[in-house]
Amino acid sequence: MLESCTAQAVNEKLLEIRNRLGDDLYYKIFGVIICDNGVEFEQLYLMEFNENGRQRGRVFYARPYRSGDKGLAENNHRLIRYIIPKGVSMDRLCDSDAISITNAINSINKNSINDFTPFELLLHVYGKTVLKELHLQQIEPDKLVLNASILEK
């Protein structure tokens, strides 16, 4: 979760993730970032470079009102709404809630990756380190729930 919805907060959170994963692994996973034109992303281009000024990644901004520019992200937004319906405030969510939502959504088999889950793909390509460092774990299909009951009380 972010402390605030600002460009500084977004960049600080990505820097925290980069520090956990290390430069090489971070830029392998986040080598390309596609975001919208919200003010919270206006300095995201700074994350393209490491501390030595070497460009390691790329940031692209979606065109306004063109959800197809980031279609897979839009699908995840739709899944989030199964858990947190539109109109329900997200202000009371905490880090563990965000992790629970992430775990649920990324435990769903996806046609776009040959019916694997995003977790299975991440594990296969990058190994256990990523999941461990980000405190993520796959949920077994028979325990997977996509509604508000997964959030901590």
Side-chain angles (χ1 to χ4, degrees):
M1 298 297 296
L2 298 175
E3 293 295 321
S4 62
C5 192
T6 64
Q8 181 178 349
V10 169
N11 284 18
E12 285 174 0
K13 185 58 74 170
L14 285 174
L15 188 57
E16 177 186 317
I17 293 168
R18 193 173 91 191
N19 288 338
R20 281 186 188 174
L21 298 177
D23 258 12
D24 289 340
L25 188 53
Y26 172 85
Y27 284 111
K28 282 180 184 175
I29 296 170
F30 296 98
V32 173
I33 297 175
I34 301 171
C35 58
D36 63 33
N37 291 287
V39 295
E40 67 273 22
F41 302 123
E42 68 185 9
Q43 295 177 10
L44 199 55
Y45 68 91
L46 296 172
M47 296 302 297
E48 293 178 324
F49 303 89
N50 66 10
E51 279 79 19
N52 299 324
R54 180 173 171 224
Q55 185 168 15
R56 303 283 310 270
R58 296 291 310 265
V59 173
F60 296 95
Y61 294 88
R63 296 169 291 179
Y65 307 107
R66 298 294 297 260
S67 60
D69 283 358
K70 49 189 182 72
L72 294 176
E74 292 300 325
N75 188 46
N76 284 342
H77 295 166
R78 183 180 56 79
L79 294 171
I80 290 169
R81 290 301 179 192
Y82 287 139
I83 301 164
I84 308 165
K86 196 166 187 88
V88 173
S89 174
M90 295 186 192
D91 290 345
R92 295 181 188 222
L93 296 180
C94 61
D95 284 346
S96 62
D97 293 327
I99 290 170
S100 294
I101 293 168
T102 300
N103 286 342
I105 290 173
N106 288 304
S107 293
I108 298 171
N109 294 60
K110 309 281 185 182
N111 291 339
S112 61
I113 53 175
N114 293 330
D115 287 326
F116 288 102
T117 69
F119 280 134
E120 290 167 336
L121 182 61
L122 196 64
L123 185 62
H124 176 74
V125 174
Y126 299 109
K128 294 179 183 178
T129 301
V130 174
L131 298 178
K132 181 181 174 193
E133 288 299 323
L134 299 178
H135 310 292
L136 301 173
Q137 54 185 247
Q138 185 165 335
I139 300 170
E140 295 303 317
D142 60 329
K143 295 182 178 155
L144 183 59
V145 177
L146 279 179
N147 62 43
S149 70
I150 69 170
L151 302 177
E152 291 189 357
K153 306 295 179 231

